[in-house]
Amino acid sequence: MKKMFVAMMAAASCASMAQAQQTPPTAATQPLGVYTLDQAVLAAGGAAPAADAASAAIEAAQAERTVAGLRPNPVVQGQVENVAGSGPYKGLQSAETTVGVAIPIELGGKRGARVAVASAQLSRAELQAAITASDIRLQVTQLYIEAIAAERRLATARDQARIAAEVLRGAGVRVQAGRASPLEQQRADVTRINADANVERLTRLAEAARANLARRIGRPIDAMLDAALLDQLPAPTFGPVETPPAANTLALAAADADLAIADAGVRLARANRVPDLNVGPGLRRLEATNDTAAVFSISIPIPLFNNGRAAIAQASAQRTQAEALRRVTALDVEQAITNAQAEAANAATTARAAAGPALAAAQEAARIARIGYREGKFGQLDLLDAERTLAETRVAAIDALANYQNARAQLERLTAPATATTISGDTDR
């Protein structure tokens, strides 16, 4: 069952890659020693408790289907008559002993109806396993993106700390040469202290993000992460964007599976209205004459108090509820896909602006401020303001890229298809 779930994880991984709005790097372009997102997803699929729960649910549903297809057990009956009476029936001298077998005969298609319910429940369990696989992929993707973003924020903080140290050294030289006041050196020292503290803080966050990812996949991560994944952005689109259909999504397939279970429940309730027969042969021994006679018995319950109508009404109401919930799910899924698509598109626009023109302008402003500060054309406050703007722009670009990748992962989760290999339960297998 674990192999089956890992296969589902691989299928979900392939489907998500096919739905991505850009082409990921090929294996030939991947740097050596990189632990990719797909590897993390597959590792998490074999280590997640949710995967074990989904596999156990499938096994339980398979066992329930086997039980549903079994026939009722026969009953061995024994009976002694004409004993412990008076006169000729005193003691056991006139006893009549009967031994027989009662065989229940199910009528109305009860066995087939039970199998249909169990098969629908098995299909639902298999679908739930696919949903769990998609959820695991989304969780791992979010942790993977957060780990990459945390490491990039740390790299940015270290770069800013290096620049702050250089500014402090330059301020010290200017103060010693009498070209600046000691206040300028103090300001540079405060900036350097804050930059070092920010490095220490972001180091802890990066370690925590990598630890959370390792905990989720169930193994330590010794290799580098695929940092290029964070920079993958779709090409700009213009005009209205077609919304992916919700007809074949996992959420709607789950609602359809619940409706199928309810339909099978109505069929079972109607089948249970038909009374069953109990028939069976037997042997009767007469003590007085020591003779043996055959006995054949047949019994049928009388539906006097419980005629099954209430059960049918209950199953029909549950079926109506499942159908209504299916319509609600369809509306919710379409709305969620539309919102997620808009969020992903907006996040992509923000990321392109933050990681493109805005970042380039901030870098150029900081470069000019450094040159002007060294040549005495700009004051220290101008330099510090440019460096602070560059640091904030870098962090904003990282956050925007991470937001887009998370929004895209959420959209892929909502539009993940329920393929034929995902749902294999039917009443004929």
Side-chain angles (χ1 to χ4, degrees):
M1 191 56 61
K2 188 62 68 63
K3 293 181 180 179
M4 178 181 179
F5 192 83
V6 171
M8 287 183 177
M9 293 296 300
S13 174
C14 294
S16 298
M17 292 174 62
Q19 288 181 339
Q21 300 183 37
Q22 66 280 334
T23 303
T26 62
T29 61
Q30 288 285 359
L32 296 178
V34 173
Y35 191 70
T36 65
L37 173 60
D38 290 330
Q39 291 174 329
V41 170
L42 291 178
D52 296 335
S55 299
I58 292 177
E59 293 177 359
Q62 289 173 339
E64 183 177 358
R65 188 183 185 279
T66 300
V67 172
L70 300 177
R71 300 181 185 278
N73 292 322
V75 178
V76 176
Q77 296 176 337
Q79 182 176 315
V80 180
E81 300 179 12
N82 302 332
V83 296
S86 60
Y89 301 104
K90 184 177 181 180
L92 300 176
Q93 59 183 1
S94 298
E96 296 181 0
T97 304
T98 304
V99 178
V101 177
I103 302 175
I105 299 178
E106 292 184 307
L107 302 178
K110 293 183 180 64
R111 179 169 172 267
R114 288 199 309 270
V115 171
V117 172
S119 296
Q121 291 173 342
L122 175 57
S123 297
R124 184 63 172 85
E126 291 173 344
L127 180 61
Q128 185 60 43
I131 292 174
T132 301
S134 295
D135 289 340
I136 290 175
R137 179 175 181 85
L138 175 60
Q139 294 166 359
V140 173
T141 300
Q142 291 173 337
L143 292 173
Y144 194 93
I145 293 300
E146 178 56 30
I148 295 176
E151 291 179 354
R152 188 168 294 187
R153 293 188 193 99
L154 176 59
T156 299
R158 286 172 175 168
D159 189 45
Q160 293 303 126
R162 176 188 59 79
I163 294 174
E166 292 178 355
V167 172
L168 177 60
R169 287 193 295 270
V173 171
R174 288 166 61 91
V175 170
Q176 291 179 358
R179 298 171 56 193
S181 66
L183 180 61
E184 187 171 314
Q185 185 176 7
Q186 291 297 323
R187 281 198 299 258
D189 192 28
V190 171
T191 302
R192 192 265 310 169
I193 293 172
N194 291 333
D196 291 342
N198 191 40
V199 169
E200 182 178 352
R201 180 179 65 86
L202 292 179
T203 299
R204 295 192 188 96
L205 293 178
E207 292 174 351
R210 182 174 278 255
N212 289 334
L213 177 60
R215 187 178 298 110
R216 175 66 66 175
I217 66 178
R219 52 155 290 181
I221 304 175
D222 301 326
M224 296 175 57
L225 300 179
D226 185 11
L229 178 65
L230 194 65
D231 299 318
Q232 297 177 4
L233 290 174
T237 57
F238 303 95
V241 179
E242 182 180 358
T243 302
N248 197 35
T249 60
L250 288 173
L252 198 57
D256 288 335
D258 292 335
L259 181 58
I261 293 175
D263 283 332
V266 173
R267 174 185 170 187
L268 179 59
R270 289 173 178 169
N272 286 334
R273 285 199 66 188
V274 181
D276 295 335
L277 293 178
N278 285 293
V279 300
L283 292 176
R284 175 170 295 178
R285 180 180 177 274
L286 305 176
E287 186 69 22
T289 61
N290 200 25
D291 293 327
T292 302
V295 178
F296 184 81
S297 63
I298 180 170
S299 63
I300 182 171
I302 301 175
L304 181 59
F305 302 109
N306 182 8
N307 56 13
R309 292 180 181 176
I312 293 178
Q314 179 185 8
S316 299
Q318 291 173 344
R319 197 264 180 203
T320 302
Q321 179 187 23
E323 186 178 12
L325 290 177
R326 195 264 181 201
R327 294 196 301 269
V328 172
T329 301
L331 295 176
D332 291 343
V333 169
E334 291 175 356
Q335 179 179 346
I337 290 176
T338 300
N339 292 338
Q341 193 174 31
E343 290 177 4
N346 290 339
T349 301
T350 304
R352 278 192 294 266
L359 182 59
Q363 290 174 337
E364 180 64 15
R367 186 187 68 83
I368 294 174
R370 293 181 199 123
I371 296 174
Y373 179 70
R374 285 196 301 267
E375 296 178 356
K377 296 181 180 180
F378 294 148
Q380 186 190 40
L381 294 179
D382 296 328
L383 175 62
L384 294 179
D385 182 67
E387 294 293 354
R388 181 173 59 253
T389 301
L390 176 60
E392 293 174 351
T393 305
R394 283 178 172 176
V395 173
I398 295 171
D399 292 342
L401 290 170
N403 289 338
Y404 166 70
Q405 298 299 336
N406 287 328
R408 191 195 71 177
Q410 183 66 35
L411 178 61
E412 290 177 355
R413 166 62 185 88
L414 290 172
T415 57
T419 60
T421 56
T422 300
I423 309 173
S424 58
D426 56 68
T427 58
D428 296 330
R429 52 176 185 179

